[in-house]
Amino acid sequence: MVNLIWVFLAVSGILYAAFHGTMGEVNQAIFKTLDDSVMITISLAGVLVFWLGLMKIAEEAGLLNGLARLFRPIVTRIFPEIPKDHPALGYILSNMTANMFGLGNAATPMGLKAMKELKKLSKSDQASRSMITFLAINTSSLTLIPTTVIAIRMKYGSADPTSIVASTILATIISTMAALMIDRYFYYRRKRVSRQ
Amino acid sequence: MISIWLIPGVILVVLVTATVKRIPAYEVFVEGSKEGLNIAVSLLPFLLGMMVSIAIFQASGAMNAVLSFLTPFTNLIGFPKEVLPLAIVRPISGTAALSMTTEVIRTFGPDSFIGQLASTMQGSTDTTLYIITVYFGAVGIKRMGDALKVGLLADLAGIIASVVIVTLLFS
C-alpha cells in the first residue's frame, strides 16, 4: 500500500504540473528536498547517536527494566505477544514517556530500538502484531504537553497559551483508545481470514 | 516549564545510577551511540524517497487541488473548512502541518475557535507516513500488513475527537 501511495504522490504531482504549468516549481522542489532530507537525516543522526548512547547506559544500569516492571500490568495487556521480561517493553515505555512530554526528538531513537527488539522477536520482514500496535499508539500521538504548539501560541499573543493542554490531553486519550480498538479490530480480522 | 527540566533530569538520573552501579558510563555510551549512527545512515533512502514524492505532490499544486475538491463535502458535515487542509496534511507531512497550524493561528488568532482547534489537532495526531517510513525503514520491514490503514484511521479518530472536544470546551 505504501508503494502505491508513493508512486501516486509523485506521478499525480508530475501529471498535474504538466497540465497546470507548474513543472518549474516541481523541479525546484525535487532538488531542494534532496538537500532537506540529507539535512534532516544528519540532525536526526545527532539525536539518535546521543539518545541511543544514553539509553545503552540506562539499560545496563537496569533503569529500563525498572521502568518496564513498573508499568508491566498495563503494557503486557496492550502487547500480549511480548514476553514479560523482554527489553522491548522498556524501550516501548521510554518511547511513550518521551512522547507524552512532547520530546519527539528523544522519542524516536527509543521507538527505533523498540522496533529492532520487536523484529528480533518476530524474525520476519513482515510487520508483526506488536509492531502494528506500537505504530498505532505512536501515530495517534500520546502528547500530554504539546510544547511546539504552546510556543507558536505564545508567539502570536495568546491570552492563555496553555489553554489547549486540557483539550489536547482529552483528544489524545480518545484517539489513542480509538487507535487501540482499530488495531484490535484489524488483528482479529486478520486472524479470522487466516483461519478460513 | 517541565520539559526544560526533563531532559537534563533524565541524563542526571541515568549517569548517577550508572556510576553508583559501577558501570563504565562513557564506554557504554560510545558503544550504544554507534548503533544510532548506523540507524541514521540506513534511514536516508527511506526518508529521502518519501519526502521527494510528497514535495512533488505539493509543489505541483495537486495537494491544493485535492483540498479544494474536498471542501464542499466537509462543509456538508459542518467541518470547519479553515482547518481541513491541516487535517488532510497532518498524516502526510509534519513540517507542512506545522506551517499550516502556524498560519491558521496567525490568521485567526490563537484564542479563536479555529485557532484552538488547529492547536489541539496538531497536538493530538501525528505524521503517520513519517513514522511508518522511519520505524519500518530502520528495521527493514517490507510487508506492512494493516499498519498504514490502522495509522490513518487513528489519525481520523484524533481529528474527529479534536473537533468534538474543542466544540464542547470552547464554543
Side-chain angles (χ1 to χ4, degrees):
Chain A
M1 191 165 169
V2 89
N3 288 315
L4 278 178
I5 290 188
W6 189 65
V7 171
F8 171 79
L9 288 175
V11 169
S12 61
I14 292 169
L15 292 179
Y16 189 91
F19 287 108
H20 292 82
T22 46
M23 206 58 92
E25 283 89 328
V26 168
N27 241 316
Q28 238 175 357
I30 292 173
F31 288 100
K32 191 180 171 301
T33 312
L34 297 184
D35 277 353
D36 286 353
S37 59
V38 174
M39 287 314 292
I40 290 180
T41 311
I42 290 175
S43 61
L44 203 59
V47 176
L48 282 169
V49 168
F50 178 73
W51 282 103
L52 288 187
L54 197 72
M55 277 306 114
K56 185 81 182 171
I57 308 177
E59 193 186 346
E60 303 239 326
L63 285 169
L64 284 187
N65 266 331
L67 190 67
R69 219 170 302 130
L70 200 61
F71 291 98
R72 185 179 296 162
I74 307 166
V75 184
T76 46
R77 215 158 285 168
I78 302 177
F79 297 96
E81 281 184 343
I82 305 177
K84 288 197 167 29
D85 286 309
H86 201 273
L89 287 179
Y91 286 118
I92 287 175
L93 279 164
S94 359
N95 169 271
M96 285 183 181
T97 321
N99 267 330
M100 281 184 196
F101 291 99
L103 311 173
N105 279 342
T108 311
M110 297 164 202
L112 294 183
K113 265 307 262 199
M115 272 297 185
K116 290 216 147 168
E117 295 296 333
L118 293 179
K119 166 110 180 196
K120 273 186 213 160
L121 275 175
S122 74
K123 297 185 191 76
S124 116
D125 67 351
Q126 191 178 3
S128 68
R129 177 191 178 183
S130 315
M131 287 178 182
I132 297 175
T133 307
F134 184 52
L135 276 173
I137 292 176
N138 261 288
T139 57
S140 75
S141 165
L142 282 165
T143 323
L144 294 185
I145 303 164
T147 35
T148 323
V149 178
I150 293 174
I152 297 172
R153 295 170 59 78
M154 278 178 180
K155 189 175 153 204
Y156 290 103
S158 169
D160 186 5
T162 55
S163 65
I164 48 120
V165 170
S167 60
T168 303
I169 291 177
L170 277 174
T172 288
I173 292 172
I174 292 177
S175 72
T176 305
M177 303 240 279
L180 286 174
M181 284 193 278
I182 294 164
D183 172 57
R184 286 295 193 264
Y185 167 75
F186 276 99
Y187 169 70
Y188 287 115
R189 210 184 63 162
R190 279 199 300 278
K191 245 176 67 174
R192 241 191 353 259
V193 170
S194 68
R195 224 183 289 134
Q196 277 164 6
Chain B
M1 289 267 301
I2 189 165
S3 44
I4 298 170
W5 289 83
L6 210 63
I7 289 181
V10 169
I11 298 173
L12 188 75
V13 170
V14 170
L15 294 187
V16 169
T17 317
T19 312
V20 170
K21 295 198 170 174
R22 299 185 182 283
I23 287 162
Y26 184 66
E27 285 163 33
V28 174
F29 175 82
V30 172
E31 191 194 321
S33 311
K34 284 179 184 159
E35 196 183 348
L37 201 58
N38 291 335
I39 294 180
V41 172
S42 66
L43 274 181
L44 180 61
F46 294 94
L47 209 56
L48 185 147
M50 195 49 84
M51 282 177 65
V52 169
S53 247
I54 291 169
I56 292 173
F57 192 67
Q58 249 180 322
S60 66
M63 180 118 78
N64 282 332
V66 171
L67 291 179
S68 46
F69 173 76
L70 285 173
T71 314
F73 296 100
T74 47
N75 282 348
L76 268 180
I77 54 168
F79 192 93
K81 68 169 185 298
E82 296 85 351
V83 291
L84 175 69
L86 176 62
I88 290 168
V89 164
R90 188 73 182 98
I92 303 172
S93 164
T95 44
L98 191 62
S99 58
M100 281 179 182
T101 302
T102 312
E103 191 55 31
V104 166
I105 288 178
R106 196 179 64 85
T107 315
F108 298 94
D111 300 322
S112 65
F113 174 73
I114 302 287
Q116 306 269 23
L117 180 56
S119 307
T120 304
M121 230 181 239
Q122 176 74 28
S124 65
T125 51
D126 214 322
T127 316
T128 301
L129 219 53
Y130 174 83
I131 293 179
I132 287 188
T133 306
V134 168
Y135 279 26
F136 280 166
V139 292
I141 294 294
K142 296 205 176 65
R143 291 154 67 204
M144 303 196 173
D146 296 323
L148 192 61
K149 266 179 275 177
V150 173
L152 291 177
L153 285 170
D155 279 326
L156 185 65
I159 287 161
I160 295 171
S162 302
V163 175
V164 172
I165 285 162
V166 173
T167 307
L168 289 177
L169 287 182
F170 294 111
S171 73

